[in-house]
């Protein structure tokens, strides 16, 4: 295919991505280097507030009020602040303090350092995001593979129903899915009732960092396994029969067939599913929102969302966004290098 | 039959609601879009506002619990798509300080007689009416009268009494976690701190400035009381959302706690609650001897954005149609209305008692919401045992300073 | 391949699958169950196995609250997104499969990075820009945004399908005098349908289930179903409203369930044909 045809074919797609992904990214970067607010000055303002049943309370105090220009429009300040927003998000001063504590080398310093650093919003979010990726990815791949093998070995009649049931966690809207699991684990809800029915004691699943994180990871695995399953199952359908028969003739056990024929054949699929999952896991948002308590588990996307909505600080949110993007680019570099080398070899 | 009954009930409610109000009678033409939170009284008001749709007028209402973020963005934009936004003490101050609201003095004067706009409904900054308030809300004590009576405990008037009562209930009545509270880390937890710290007599800022002053001995005492309370709550308390903690009451799992007055009516709804008629209400407990009830009074009201590109007079009329006396009469128990035609019932007892005993209104300065957020982000760590009180207060102060500088409130 | 299986292995496998199916289906089944109850029964502590059934929540959300408005919106947005996405995606993916130059490789790498972009990052820029430009709360805006966000995944997936179609097919068509576009449309596309269906289904899922972007870019009457659900789900003050939302959530999943039921063979076949071999 020549270059002109290529350009013509990819133009609409590239245009869409440039306009709606690259441009906003650049806009966000530019935003992150500035700060903006309405100029205010302190003024004596008497406020009147209703209390109850016709009572009202009048308070006089000094309150910041907007500075207005000649036309009566509030003056908006727009400053270039360089990397200040980034320093704010990374909380460099608190990081420095934590390092000072580290150098003090008091007993238990390692744990204290960990506590100090993760109590900073950004680093705590980064920590859990990475933990989430590391915990869910192997589970998703292994569980998806196990289910694919198991379904592949069942009779054809049952398979349809099994595939259908297995895809359910994947097709439910993530927010709804996370909520449905959250409700099951509340104080006296279904899971606790079942535990007590089986003779165990009540367990408080939301009572600390470890249980909540485990629950979020559980949700993550529950939600992502169907995709791994369906891709690996499709892969199993394309197993080269002759290689398998040759292995059988050679007297290989089921385990050896698995290790030496099936897994190598599926290797590219494991890589594919793993890559997709890492990218999705990095963006984890819904379970953190629902199981709520970024006290115990925070994620980068949730942190950015919080800054955007609660703090109402676009510039700081922009800086947080770009740091998030930087993180995923760093995570992707090994894969990009691998793909580049594969292309060079081809 | 079982299926038809709820459907019929729904239809009747629909028809009933429609005929409860006099028809909407406004003049003007255009579109008015409203944005508000999504609790029952707002649903009733939105319903009344939508009645005004017809002919040249179209009213659309958006009710969402994410309204505060969206309101902030709408007020900042060049043009606001919303003609009416619902605000509270906490959310009006940044908007008013940035000059984003339209003063309503002219409309109030023009329509005062038609809608009987009372003085107790006006939110004034200086001489400007910035919003019209329709309800008052506060957190106050909810308790299971039957459980406390059976154990011979009087309704607690202070936190010390509450903790003693909890200890007794745990020992004698076998209730493992007698206290409930909206302690979810974040905004709710900060609200508890604000209520209790103000009840201790603390102040958030150095007088007349935006400089933080909430890292002190009173704050540490406040946090200690909160920690003791958490000891009598479910171990999940810091992660339970507000609905889940209300469920604890409605499912009969707890005996006492501070809840929002707007939740009171639900406790007596047989479709939602197992403890109909068993919950009694009282003023919020005091936290320090001789202090005022540890709660803050909130109001909810409507305002018109300055950057609304439609007809503000039409928006004002729609607002008043939603707040007219008929609406209050038809929905008397749904809220604690500011209008004088409101007949306070048993659901208003707690708020009335707290107000009469001198509970303060939630501070109406723009830097309060920044402090609120900063506190909410950090104090959970102390209650969860992850950090010391001094550290979390220092962290909260640092976060507040950074946020206030970004808003130009601190240099 | 199915050599003699011991009873133990077979029952272990059945047990494992039964546990998995329970874990996969139970949360949804439970939600569907409680959507048919009054709040005091739905959230009963301890949970009730049997309780009176009521359709009030479904009635409330669909008829009284007019959820069918949002259903139509979801339909419009989803069909629009899938249609546009597949059209421009197929064109781009075909070109990427056939072109040997370096530009193709770099485009794919950039697309990979774009796919990894958290949506909140893009929202930071979208919301104020669209407000100012007056493009907020319009179908076209949401469709274009969802198409653009979906492009990276779509072109990666479709490309691997195209790669598996032998180049000789279009070479033959070109020799016969077709232009590239004609070769693409007349010769390649007819063979591609299973792959297109698979990619279309993933596209559909993304547009239908999208929450973050849809809830921030659309308003009131124009909201899609998933975005509108957030209003109900967040109203945890009001247990009745929450259950109406759950009824809505259950309703939202039903079309997806039917899709899976009817298309599951195509999904697997599509994956087998395309991405798997690639």
């Amino acid at each position: 295919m020549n270059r002109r045809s290529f350009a013509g074919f990819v133009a609409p797609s590239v245009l869409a991505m440039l306009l709606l992904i690259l441009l906003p990214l650049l806009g966000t970067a530019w935003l992150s280097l500035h700060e903006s607010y309405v100029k205010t000055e302190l003024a004596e303002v008497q406020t009147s507030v209703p209390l109850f049943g016709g009572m009202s309370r009048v308070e006089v105090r000094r309150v910041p009020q907007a500075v207005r220009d000649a036309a009566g429009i509030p003056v908006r300040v727009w400053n270039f602040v360089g990397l200040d927003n980034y320093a704010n998000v990374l909380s460099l001063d608190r990081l420095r303090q934590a390092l000072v504590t580290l150098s003090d080398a008091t007993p238990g310093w390692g744990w204290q350092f960990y506590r100090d650093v993760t109590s900073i919003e950004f680093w705590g979010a980064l920590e859990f995001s990475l933990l989430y990726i590391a915990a869910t990815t192997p589970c998703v791949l292994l569980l998806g593979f196990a289910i694919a093998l198991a379904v592949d070995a069942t009779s054809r009649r049952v398979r349809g129903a099994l595939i259908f049931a297995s895809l359910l966690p994947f097709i439910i809207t993530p927010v709804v899915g996370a909520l449905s699991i959250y409700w099951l684990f509340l104080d006296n809800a279904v899971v606790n009732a079942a535990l007590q029915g089986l003779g165990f004691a009540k367990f408080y699943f939301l009572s600390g960092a470890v249980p909540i994180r485990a629950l979020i990871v559980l949700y993550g695995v529950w939600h992502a396994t169907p995709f791994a399953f369906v891709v690996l199952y499709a892969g199993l359908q394309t197993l080269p029969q002759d290689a398998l028969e040759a292995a059988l003739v050679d007297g290989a056990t089921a385990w050896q067939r698995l290790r030496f024929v099936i897994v190598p054949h599926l290797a590219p699929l494991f890589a594919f599913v793993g890559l997709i999952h890492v990218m999705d896991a990095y963006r984890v948002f819904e379970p953190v929102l629902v199981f709520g308590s970024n006290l115990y588990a925070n994620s980068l996307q949730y942190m950015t969302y919080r800054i955007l909505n609660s703090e109402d600080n676009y510039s700081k949110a922009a800086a947080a966004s770009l740091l998030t993007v930087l993180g995923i680019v760093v995570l992707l570099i090994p894969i990009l290098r691998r793909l580049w080398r594969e292309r060079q070899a081809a | 039959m079982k299926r038809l009954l709820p459907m019929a009930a729904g239809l009747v409610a629909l028809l009933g609601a429609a005929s409860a109000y006099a028809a909407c009678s406004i003049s003007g033409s255009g579109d008015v879009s409203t944005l508000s939170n999504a609790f029952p009284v707002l649903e009733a008001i939105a319903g009344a506002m939508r009645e005004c749709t017809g002919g040249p007028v179209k009213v659309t209402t958006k009710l969402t619990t994410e309204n505060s973020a969206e309101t902030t963005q709408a007020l900042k934009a060049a043009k606001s798509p919303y003609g009416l936004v619902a605000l509270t003490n906490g959310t009006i101050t940044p908007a008013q300080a940035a000059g984003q609201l339209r003063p309503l003095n002219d409309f109030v004067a023009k329509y005062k007689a038609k809608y009987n706009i009372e003085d107790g409904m006006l939110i004034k900054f200086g001489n400007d009416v910035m919003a019209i308030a329709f309800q008052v809300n506060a957190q106050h004590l909810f308790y299971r009268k039957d459980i406390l009576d059976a154990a011979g405990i009087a309704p607690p008037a202070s936190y010390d009494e509450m903790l003693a009562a909890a200890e007794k209930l745990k020992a004698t009545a076998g209730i493992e976690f007698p206290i409930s509270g909206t302690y979810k880390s974040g905004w709710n937890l900060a609200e508890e701190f604000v209520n209790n710290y103000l009840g201790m007599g603390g102040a958030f800022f150095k007088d007349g400035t935006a400089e933080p002053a909430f890292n002190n001995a009173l704050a540490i005492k406040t946090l200690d009381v909160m920690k003791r309370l958490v000891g009598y709550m479910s171990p999940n308390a810091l992660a339970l959302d507000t609905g889940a903690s209300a469920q604890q009451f409605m499912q009969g799992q707890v005996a006492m706690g501070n809840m929002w007055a707007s939740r009171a009516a639900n406790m007596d709804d047989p479709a939602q609650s197992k403890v109909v008629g068993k919950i009694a209400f009282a003023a919020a407990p005091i936290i320090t001897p001789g202090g005022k009830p540890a709660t803050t009074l909130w109001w909810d009201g409507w305002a018109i954005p300055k950057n609304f590109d439609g007809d503000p007079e039409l928006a004002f009329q729609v607002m008043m149609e939603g707040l007219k006396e008929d609406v209050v009469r038809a929905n008397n128990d749904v809220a604690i209305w500011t209008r004088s035609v409101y007949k306070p019932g048993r659901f208003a007892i707690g708020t009335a008692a707290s107000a009469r005993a001198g509970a303060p209104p939630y501070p109406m300065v723009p830097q309060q919401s920044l402090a609120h957020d900063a506190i909410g982000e950090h104090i959970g760590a102390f209650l969860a045992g992850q950090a010391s009180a001094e550290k979390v207060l220092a962290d909260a102060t640092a976060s507040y300073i950074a946020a206030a500088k970004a808003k130009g409130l601190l240099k | 391949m199915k050599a003699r299986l011991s009873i133990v292995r077979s029952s272990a496998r059945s047990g494992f699958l039964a546990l998995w199916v329970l874990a996969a289906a139970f949360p949804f089944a439970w939600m569907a169950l409680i959507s048919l109850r009054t709040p005091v029964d739905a959230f009963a502590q301890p949970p009730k196995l049997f309780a009176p059934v009521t359709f009030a929540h479904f009635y409330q959300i669909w008829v009284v609250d007019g959820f069918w408005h949002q259903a139509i919106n979801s339909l419009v947005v989803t069909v629009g997104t899938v249609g546009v996405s597949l059209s421009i995606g197929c064109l781009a993916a075909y070109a990427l499969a056939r072109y040997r130059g370096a530009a193709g490789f770099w485009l794919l790498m950039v697309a990979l990075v774009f796919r990894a972009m958290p949506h909140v990052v893009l929202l930071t820029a979208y919301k104020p820009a669209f407000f100012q430009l007056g493009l907020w709360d319009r179908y076209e805006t949401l469709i274009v945004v969802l198409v653009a966000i979906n492009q990276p995944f779509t072109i990666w997936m479709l490309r691997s399908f195209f790669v598996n179609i032998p180049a000789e097919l279009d070479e033959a068509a070109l020799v016969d005098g077709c232009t590239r576009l004609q070769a693409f449309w007349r010769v390649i596309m007819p063979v591609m349908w299973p792959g297109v269906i698979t990619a279309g289904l993933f596209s559909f899922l993304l547009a239908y289930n999208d929450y973050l972007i849809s809830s921030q870019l659309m308003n009131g009457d124009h909201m899609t179903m998933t975005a509108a659900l957030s209003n109900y789900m967040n109203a945890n003050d009001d247990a009745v409203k929450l259950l109406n939302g759950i009824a809505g959530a259950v309703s939202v999943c039903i079309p997806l369930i039917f899709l899976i039921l009817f298309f599951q063979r195509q999904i697997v076949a599509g994956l087998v044909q395309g991405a798997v071999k690639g």
Side-chain angles (χ1 to χ4, degrees):
Chain A
M1 181 183 265
N2 64 28
R3 192 173 276 188
R4 264 191 69 208
S5 304
F6 174 71
F9 271 85
V10 299
S13 184
V14 168
L15 191 67
M17 289 196 285
L18 279 180
L19 264 181
L20 289 155
I21 301 184
L22 188 62
L23 210 60
L25 210 55
L26 294 174
T28 306
W30 186 78
L31 201 62
S32 70
L33 298 174
H34 294 79
E35 67 171 4
S36 160
Y37 54 84
V38 169
K39 204 159 173 200
T40 57
E41 60 187 4
L42 286 176
E44 289 267 327
V45 175
Q46 185 178 44
T47 54
S48 159
V49 167
L51 286 186
F52 178 75
M55 294 190 282
S56 72
R57 187 170 284 162
V58 175
E59 301 191 11
V60 186
R61 70 169 83 75
R62 286 168 64 76
V63 175
Q65 293 287 282
V67 169
R68 290 166 197 271
D69 62 13
I73 299 175
V75 174
R76 191 148 252 259
V77 168
W78 180 257
N79 293 332
F80 176 77
V81 291
L83 296 174
D84 275 2
N85 286 317
Y86 292 91
N88 191 3
V89 172
L90 294 172
S91 297
L92 289 179
D93 39 355
R94 282 176 65 186
L95 205 58
R96 236 174 273 134
Q97 271 177 354
L99 285 169
V100 162
T101 325
L102 188 64
S103 66
D104 278 347
T106 49
W109 55 265
W111 193 232
Q112 185 61 36
F113 178 68
Y114 169 76
R115 278 246 168 95
D116 283 342
V117 173
T118 53
S119 70
I120 302 173
E121 197 183 10
F122 175 81
W123 299 104
L126 182 66
E127 182 231 1
F128 182 67
S129 298
L130 292 175
L131 213 87
Y132 180 80
I133 297 177
T136 52
T137 311
C139 293
V140 165
L141 290 174
L142 280 172
L143 188 60
F145 187 45
I147 301 172
L149 284 173
V151 171
D152 195 46
T154 55
S155 72
R156 298 214 170 255
R157 277 175 297 135
V158 201
R159 269 192 218 184
L162 284 174
I163 297 178
F164 165 72
S166 304
L167 284 175
L168 274 175
F170 181 63
I171 64 175
I172 299 184
T173 313
V175 177
V176 172
L179 265 174
S180 67
I181 294 210
Y182 174 73
W183 284 324
L184 293 178
F185 284 89
L186 285 177
D187 277 45
N188 292 304
V190 174
V191 172
N192 260 324
L195 279 177
Q196 288 180 305
L198 289 172
F200 297 105
K202 221 153 73 160
F203 186 73
Y204 291 95
F205 289 95
L206 304 173
S207 57
V210 173
I212 285 196
R213 289 178 167 201
L215 210 54
I216 295 181
V217 167
L218 182 80
Y219 165 80
V221 172
W222 178 81
H223 180 67
T225 298
F227 181 69
F229 153 69
V230 80
V231 170
L232 291 170
Y233 173 75
L236 284 175
Q237 308 311 303
T238 68
L239 272 176
Q241 295 293 42
D242 28 347
L244 272 170
E245 270 151 25
L248 261 175
V249 161
D250 282 348
T253 65
W255 173 248
Q256 284 169 324
R257 285 202 307 277
L258 194 71
R259 226 183 113 195
F260 295 114
V261 181
I262 299 181
V263 173
H265 177 81
L266 293 180
L269 288 179
F270 277 109
F272 171 68
V273 173
L275 176 64
I276 298 278
H277 179 76
V278 165
M279 292 198 294
D280 284 343
Y282 185 74
R283 302 195 284 207
V284 61
F285 173 72
E286 284 85 3
V288 176
L289 177 70
V290 167
F291 289 88
S293 231
N294 50 339
L295 171 60
Y296 297 119
N298 201 357
S299 79
L300 290 168
Q301 182 151 235
Y302 182 77
M303 174 191 78
T304 311
Y305 174 81
R306 191 200 72 78
I307 298 177
L308 190 62
N309 278 340
S310 299
E311 272 191 45
D312 180 41
N313 187 345
Y314 281 2
S315 305
K316 188 174 169 194
S321 300
L322 281 187
L323 286 170
T324 309
V325 170
L326 186 66
I328 192 64
V329 168
V330 164
L331 272 178
L332 282 179
I333 284 180
I335 294 148
L336 294 177
R337 286 211 341 232
R338 177 110 187 272
L339 287 169
W340 174 247
R341 253 184 252 128
E342 273 178 22
R343 180 188 158 80
Q344 298 294 68
Chain B
M1 197 52 205
K2 268 206 186 130
R3 258 177 266 171
L4 290 177
L5 220 45
M7 282 168 77
L11 259 171
V12 166
L14 199 62
L15 294 171
S19 57
Y21 314 137
C24 173
S25 62
I26 60 180
S27 55
S29 66
D31 288 355
V32 174
S33 200
T34 77
L35 176 62
S36 71
N37 206 328
F39 40 83
V41 60
L42 284 164
E43 307 249 354
I45 296 175
M49 286 179 174
R50 282 194 296 264
E51 303 254 318
C52 292
T53 297
V57 175
K58 179 160 179 240
V59 178
T60 39
T61 59
K62 178 169 179 178
L63 292 87
T64 165
T65 47
E66 305 300 304
N67 71 314
S68 57
E70 188 153 1
T71 307
T72 323
Q73 292 187 356
L75 291 173
K76 253 200 226 172
K79 281 193 302 227
S80 163
Y82 301 106
L84 289 171
V85 290
L87 296 171
T88 69
N89 326 30
T91 50
I92 195 175
T93 40
Q96 193 274 339
Q100 292 166 340
L101 301 175
R102 187 194 186 287
L104 303 172
N105 305 43
D106 46 353
F107 297 149
V108 169
K110 185 170 177 188
Y111 292 96
K112 193 177 178 107
K114 179 178 180 192
Y115 292 108
N116 189 16
I117 303 178
E118 302 169 38
D119 280 343
M121 292 166 71
L122 302 177
I123 306 292
K124 289 202 215 153
F125 282 79
N127 286 327
D128 291 334
V129 176
M130 285 315 207
I132 311 277
F134 57 86
Q135 77 157 359
V136 178
N137 204 356
Q139 283 190 302
H140 59 77
L141 186 67
F142 284 39
Y143 63 93
R144 285 282 298 277
K145 193 163 188 335
D146 53 336
I147 295 183
L148 261 56
D149 284 347
I153 306 175
S158 73
Y159 275 119
D160 284 333
E161 287 177 31
M162 195 167 170
L163 289 164
E167 186 60 49
K168 187 169 179 192
L169 284 172
K170 201 167 162 177
T172 60
I175 305 179
E176 221 189 329
F177 300 111
I179 300 186
S180 168
T182 45
Y183 269 59
K184 178 167 167 173
S185 180
W187 194 93
N188 288 307
L189 189 58
E191 172 64 14
E192 297 293 320
F193 177 81
V194 168
N195 289 349
N196 293 332
Y197 179 65
L198 289 175
M200 276 280 192
F204 281 92
F205 308 103
K206 296 209 179 86
D207 198 39
T209 68
E211 285 183 46
F214 49 85
N215 184 0
N216 53 37
L218 279 179
I220 295 183
K221 264 174 83 175
T222 309
L223 285 176
D224 281 335
V225 173
M226 286 172 74
K227 188 147 194 186
R228 284 165 63 200
L229 280 167
V230 168
Y232 290 100
M233 296 185 198
S234 155
N236 287 341
L238 293 173
L240 287 181
D241 62 19
T242 50
S245 42
Q247 286 292 341
Q248 286 183 312
F249 262 107
M250 295 197 282
Q251 292 291 332
Q253 302 288 329
V254 297
M256 322 175 261
N258 278 339
M259 293 259 129
W260 287 98
S262 45
R263 301 267 192 82
N266 286 350
M267 300 280 158
D268 276 358
D269 176 3
Q272 294 191 48
S273 163
K274 274 186 189 168
V275 294
V276 174
K278 296 187 190 163
I279 306 258
F281 313 103
I286 62 177
I287 193 170
T288 187
K292 305 209 169 55
T295 184
T296 47
L297 298 169
W298 289 71
W299 55 261
D300 284 81
W302 292 95
I304 299 182
K306 220 184 196 151
N307 58 348
F308 174 49
D309 61 354
D311 179 5
E313 183 161 351
L314 182 64
F316 185 82
Q317 294 182 72
V318 170
M319 180 210 302
M320 292 318 301
E321 285 290 332
L323 303 182
K324 61 191 176 199
E325 290 178 337
D326 280 349
V327 173
V328 175
R329 281 193 206 102
N331 295 286
N332 192 62
D333 284 338
V334 166
I336 301 176
W337 299 91
T338 49
R339 274 195 180 279
S340 49
V341 295
Y342 166 65
K343 294 192 187 48
R346 98 186 184 91
F347 301 132
I349 292 178
T351 313
S354 305
R356 268 187 226 112
Y362 183 80
M364 269 176 40
V365 286
Q367 55 270 34
Q368 183 67 36
S369 57
L370 299 177
H372 195 120
D373 284 336
I375 291 169
E377 279 307 297
H378 292 282
I379 60 173
F382 167 70
L383 294 172
Q386 294 173 355
S388 72
E390 289 80 3
K391 176 158 200 304
V392 298
L393 288 169
D395 287 346
T397 305
S399 291
Y400 164 75
I401 292 178
K405 283 200 180 135
K407 277 262 166 354
L409 294 170
L410 274 180
K411 297 291 167 271
Chain C
M1 180 160 139
K2 310 261 193 297
R4 283 157 279 133
L5 296 160
S6 67
I7 310 285
V8 172
R9 197 185 273 171
S10 168
S11 41
R13 183 172 53 239
S14 304
F16 169 67
L17 279 176
L19 268 174
W20 161 247
V21 167
L22 186 71
F26 184 73
F28 181 73
W30 180 254
M31 247 183 31
L33 191 63
I34 64 173
S35 68
L36 296 168
R37 301 177 174 182
T38 56
V40 67
D41 290 333
F43 298 114
Q45 296 176 9
K48 285 188 185 172
L49 205 49
F50 296 108
V53 166
T54 166
F55 286 88
H57 302 296
F58 285 90
Y59 177 73
Q60 177 74 25
I61 191 173
W62 279 98
V63 178
V64 177
D65 290 349
F67 204 51
W68 54 270
H69 276 302
Q70 275 77 33
I72 295 179
N73 294 333
S74 278
L75 188 68
V76 169
V77 170
T78 311
V79 167
T81 304
V82 173
V84 177
S85 199
L86 286 178
S87 311
I88 68 178
C90 280
L91 288 170
Y94 172 67
L96 284 167
R98 293 291 180 249
Y99 183 68
R100 304 227 169 272
F105 173 75
W106 288 114
L107 182 56
L108 279 171
M109 294 300 107
V110 168
L112 191 67
V113 175
F114 279 176
R115 191 205 174 266
M117 209 65 58
H119 295 172
V120 130
V121 171
L122 302 172
L123 263 180
T124 321
Y126 287 157
K127 195 109 192 246
F130 289 156
F131 248 19
Q132 305 282 19
L133 291 170
L135 292 174
W136 189 68
D137 192 28
R138 297 178 65 153
Y139 290 126
E140 307 89 358
T141 315
L142 184 58
I143 291 178
V144 169
V145 167
L146 286 175
V147 165
I149 289 184
N150 200 13
Q151 275 305 289
F153 183 73
T154 308
I155 62 180
W156 264 88
M157 187 170 237
L158 286 171
R159 173 191 172 268
S160 55
F161 292 167
F162 280 115
V163 158
N164 283 318
I165 298 178
E168 292 78 45
L169 235 67
D170 24 347
E171 302 295 332
L174 286 172
V175 161
D176 280 350
C178 288
T179 64
R180 266 291 174 186
L181 197 57
Q182 286 169 329
F184 167 73
W185 184 243
R186 296 224 192 103
V187 178
I188 305 295
M189 282 310 292
V191 187
M192 264 296 290
W193 283 113
V196 171
I197 292 181
T198 309
L201 281 169
F202 277 100
S203 227
F204 178 86
L205 213 59
L206 181 128
Y208 191 76
N209 273 345
D210 174 76
Y211 161 69
L212 202 53
I213 308 267
S214 309
S215 62
Q216 300 290 310
L217 290 185
M218 294 296 249
N219 189 30
D221 266 353
H222 291 157
M223 274 190 144
T224 57
M225 284 198 283
T226 318
L229 275 184
S230 66
N231 286 346
Y232 294 89
M233 295 305 199
N234 287 332
N236 42 35
D237 261 28
D238 184 349
V240 175
K241 187 154 185 175
L242 194 56
L243 275 178
N244 293 341
I246 297 179
V250 170
S251 318
V252 162
C253 289
I254 291 184
L256 294 177
I257 290 182
F258 277 113
L259 263 177
I260 300 290
L261 269 174
F262 289 137
F263 284 104
Q264 71 180 345
R265 214 163 287 171
Q266 274 83 342
I267 298 177
V268 176
L271 285 173
V272 168
Q273 182 204 31
V276 175
K277 283 197 184 127

